[in-house]
Amino acid sequence: MTSIDTRPALVHAPSGTDGEWWRHAVIYQVYPRSFADGSGDGIGDLPGITSRLPHLAELGVDAVWLSPFYRSPQADAGYDVADYRDVDPLFGTLDDFDALLLRAHDLGLRVIVDLVPNHTSDEHAWFQAAMAAGPGSPERERYLFREGQGETGELPPNNWESIFGGPAWTRVADGQWYLHLFDSRQPDLNWEHPEVRAEFEDVLRFWLDRGVDGFRIDVAHGMVKEPGLPDWDGHVSMIEGSDEPVAGNGNQGPMFDQDGVHEIYRAWNRVLAEYAGDRALVAEAWVEPLSRLARYVRPDEMQQAFNFAFLATLWDAPALRAVIEASYLTADSVGAPTTWVLSNHDVVRHASRLGLPVAGSRPNGIGHGDEQPDEELGLRRARAATLLMLGLPGSAYLYQGEELGLPDHTALPDELRQDPAFFRTGGAERGRDGCRVPLPWAADEPGFGFSPTGVTWLPQPASWASYALDAQRGVSGSTYETYCLALAVRRDEHLGTGGLAWADSYGDDVIAFENRDVLVVANLGSEPVGLPAGATVLASSTPVSGGILPGDATVWLRRP
Ligand code: GLC
């Protein structure tokens, strides 16, 4: 057995206060079309979410983030917004939203909504007007229309590519081209235009007036482009020692992380300050290194930013230790909380990523014919990763279904795929549908209880019966009960506002630290590790006995 013989090195001091909920909150992402279906059409909706909110209260999260439910032709599952002030009939009505918010607040859950400001839908009234008005019109000024290159303008204005594959420009009938960093049905807005800025401040107020607690800002690093829209030299920075780009999904170049974007967030910070209470903006900004990310959470900008560097790190103790340490150093330098996240609607779920031969690697989707993850090993590691994450001070994000230990659907037939990335890459990327499959609530019901009719917009793997909520609730040691216990201990021990001091003497494959009175030990290796004698187990990702922590497992301990 190893004992602690070195003085812990303090990396992050406890903040000692529970004020400002977003500094320590556990926030649960609801992906509306796949959470719960109230209407029976096979697509989740707002009444379905409201009916299941008690589940989230029981689980013990502090807040809910709702992915987009606004009016949209659903070309990118709602991240193509046609009307920012209305609910799509697919998901319900504004009254349904108000009812959801009221119920959530009654249950003590905060609610943040998604704002998609980089682009609109091609069905947005502004884009329709721009198409009708023609070249040189004020209507076209709200978007990024340009003449093409070549003798007759037959070539795109520059060499930028869409994140979803293919060119980032589409030519319209009158010969002009418009920019879309994502799908051609998601035209980029011109954020140099004062009307665009005014409109989004007004949209913020629309939802703040309804009582939301904050916003998740989609593509927060994308709105401002380098002046003149120059060609990109294509240089991509890679993670040291790997063939993975540092910022995932191709988010590099003159279209991202421009200094000018920060003025927008300073303005939005002022809008939030007009409202009483404690509201928050969280940046979805795929930027690296972490020091660039910290710029989005300076005191007069946003409150939080997703820590994708953590999500992107392989299952490797030294690498994770380094990213954890860097996360605190950079966030502390601007007085912001660190966030932690392992899964969301854009990446293969961590239970599947961690079962891949290179544990934690990030293919854009897994399909039949692809190398399949080891489901059992992936789940074991996913639980260990989650307990590591929830033991860390700061705010943590959970993605719906991870509390059940769900893997991706890794064998979806291609003909059922809907993600535009699948089509724009000619199938080379499977896309994100595998992490968006409707949740299993009840093992013995059709559609695993997702909808009253049993219909589900994507098929669920048969193996999901064992993951269903009702198969795990009350079963000690199940993934669901492990999440509930960890969230309860995290709350009772005030781990979210705690500090981090490394406990160093466990060897290279182990991440061990103290947060307040709790010792967290995560063993990422395969060799068992001895634990301090007489310590009490507060929570563990896998059963722990005899003072030994097996491989791919995390334990939370209280010393004697
Ligand atoms: C963000 C969203 C993703 C969407 C994209 C375009 O990355 O999380 O789902 O496709 O932005 O809006």
Side-chain angles (χ1 to χ4, degrees):
M1 194 192 2
T2 327
S3 64
I4 299 209
D5 45 23
T6 52
R7 226 187 130 60
L10 189 69
V11 172
H12 170 76
S15 58
T17 161
D18 275 358
E20 296 185 320
W21 65 276
W22 40 268
R23 287 187 179 274
H24 51 86
V26 176
I27 303 173
Y28 182 102
Q29 178 187 0
V30 166
Y31 192 66
R33 62 172 44 230
S34 300
F35 187 70
D37 174 18
S39 70
D41 65 356
I43 300 179
D45 47 40
L46 299 184
I49 298 169
T50 306
S51 73
R52 295 287 191 181
L53 285 173
H55 162 66
L56 301 185
E58 179 187 90
L59 177 62
V61 299
D62 305 296
V64 178
W65 148 37
L66 297 171
S67 278
F69 48 78
Y70 314 109
R71 266 193 195 271
S72 160
Q74 307 291 319
D76 182 22
Y79 281 95
D80 49 318
V81 180
D83 183 345
Y84 291 86
R85 296 181 185 79
D86 202 3
V87 174
D88 196 278
L90 206 54
F91 300 120
T93 62
L94 274 174
D95 284 347
D96 291 331
F97 177 79
D98 291 340
L100 185 161
L101 191 62
L102 191 66
R103 181 82 176 112
H105 284 164
D106 277 353
L107 289 165
L109 297 166
R110 313 240 180 194
V111 177
I112 67 178
V113 296
D114 219 308
L115 188 73
V116 188
N118 179 68
H119 44 264
T120 69
S121 159
D122 61 342
E123 292 187 17
H124 190 281
W126 278 2
F127 193 74
Q128 300 278 309
M131 290 295 280
S137 62
E139 286 83 353
R140 289 218 169 168
E141 283 301 307
R142 297 189 192 113
Y143 292 89
L144 293 163
F145 280 88
R146 293 288 184 276
E147 299 302 328
Q149 303 186 80
E151 255 167 53
T152 57
E154 74 281 10
L155 300 171
N158 69 22
N159 70 351
W160 295 3
E161 287 188 3
S162 153
I163 296 280
F164 292 160
W169 296 91
T170 289
R171 198 174 195 191
V172 302
D174 55 51
Q176 279 204 316
W177 298 75
Y178 67 89
L179 179 72
H180 51 87
L181 293 183
F182 293 88
D183 190 64
S184 55
R185 302 200 55 191
Q186 293 167 296
D188 277 47
L189 285 163
N190 171 16
W191 274 86
E192 306 303 335
H193 198 302
E195 267 182 52
V196 171
R197 296 203 179 214
E199 168 69 0
F200 276 87
E201 290 185 17
D202 199 60
V203 170
L204 287 174
R205 289 193 182 94
F206 178 86
W207 294 100
L208 287 165
D209 286 342
R210 297 195 103 81
V212 302
D213 299 287
F215 301 87
R216 177 261 190 192
I217 308 302
D218 190 64
V219 199
H221 57 316
M223 285 117 87
V224 174
K225 279 78 181 173
E226 193 174 320
L229 312 184
D231 273 352
W232 182 27
D233 64 11
H235 174 77
V236 176
S237 310
M238 296 292 181
I239 293 175
E240 225 177 280
S242 108
D243 56 1
E244 288 225 39
V246 286
N249 306 331
N251 288 247
Q252 296 190 45
M255 56 300 259
F256 290 117
D257 197 25
Q258 301 295 308
D259 287 348
V261 83
H262 295 284
E263 186 44 46
I264 299 170
Y265 302 128
R266 285 191 273 270
W268 291 4
N269 182 294
R270 294 191 290 272
V271 172
L272 263 64
E274 291 164 13
Y275 289 79
D278 193 6
R279 326 251 175 172
L281 298 167
V282 52
E284 188 226 13
W286 289 85
V287 301
E288 286 269 339
L290 281 160
S291 53
R292 291 297 294 186
L293 189 65
R295 293 157 57 87
Y296 289 78
V297 289
R298 287 177 287 192
D300 58 348
E301 297 194 35
M302 299 204 232
Q303 281 68 25
Q304 291 189 336
F306 289 105
N307 186 346
F308 293 126
F310 178 69
L311 180 152
T313 303
L314 298 179
W315 189 238
D316 174 75
L320 278 166
R321 243 193 320 264
V323 80
I324 290 168
E325 192 156 321
S327 301
Y328 287 114
L329 287 179
T330 50
D332 286 351
S333 73
V334 288
T338 314
T339 65
W340 306 106
V341 61
L342 288 164
S343 284
N344 66 32
H345 67 294
D346 289 330
V347 298
V348 173
R349 286 175 176 277
H350 65 289
S352 293
R353 287 204 315 276
L354 293 170
L356 288 169
V358 179
S361 57
R362 287 182 304 132
N364 186 8
I366 299 170
H368 60 94
D370 295 341
E371 185 155 34
Q372 296 290 303
D374 178 331
E375 195 165 322
E376 202 184 312
L377 179 64
L379 177 58
R380 181 182 175 91
R381 288 180 175 156
R383 290 164 51 138
T386 298
L387 248 69
L388 166 64
M389 172 174 90
L390 292 177
L392 292 165
S395 173
Y397 278 81
L398 305 180
Y399 176 49
Q400 66 178 37
E402 68 166 88
E403 77 279 22
L404 306 175
L406 288 187
D408 258 41
H409 193 322
T410 55
L412 264 183
D414 283 348
E415 57 274 18
L416 297 181
R417 293 198 178 272
Q418 303 205 7
D419 184 354
F422 174 75
F423 300 100
R424 292 187 60 91
T425 60
E429 292 188 8
R430 302 288 182 163
R432 302 162 293 175
D433 297 303
C435 66
R436 299 175 173 180
V437 172
L439 293 193
W441 296 93
D444 295 329
E445 287 177 26
F448 298 134
F450 169 72
S451 97
T453 53
V455 182
T456 61
W457 70 277
L458 281 176
Q460 301 150 309
S463 67
W464 279 22
S466 63
Y467 293 95
L469 176 65
D470 71 350
Q472 298 195 44
R473 211 160 159 249
V475 178
S476 164
S478 68
T479 304
Y480 174 70
E481 291 298 341
T482 302
Y483 268 73
C484 290
L485 176 64
L487 290 168
V489 174
R490 183 184 151 94
R491 192 174 46 247
D492 293 348
E493 302 289 332
H494 303 279
L495 298 184
T497 52
L500 182 133
W502 293 129
D504 267 340
S505 52
Y506 289 84
D508 240 21
D509 285 341
V510 175
I511 300 176
F513 60 87
E514 299 195 32
N515 178 356
R516 297 195 189 272
D517 292 333
V518 177
L519 172 66
V520 176
V521 186
N523 182 5
L524 282 67
S526 47
E527 292 301 312
V529 170
L531 297 169
T536 313
V537 174
L538 301 175
S540 68
S541 67
T542 213
V544 169
S545 61
I548 297 290
L549 181 65
D552 291 318
T554 301
V555 67
W556 294 3
L557 298 171
R558 189 181 323 278
R559 289 175 189 284

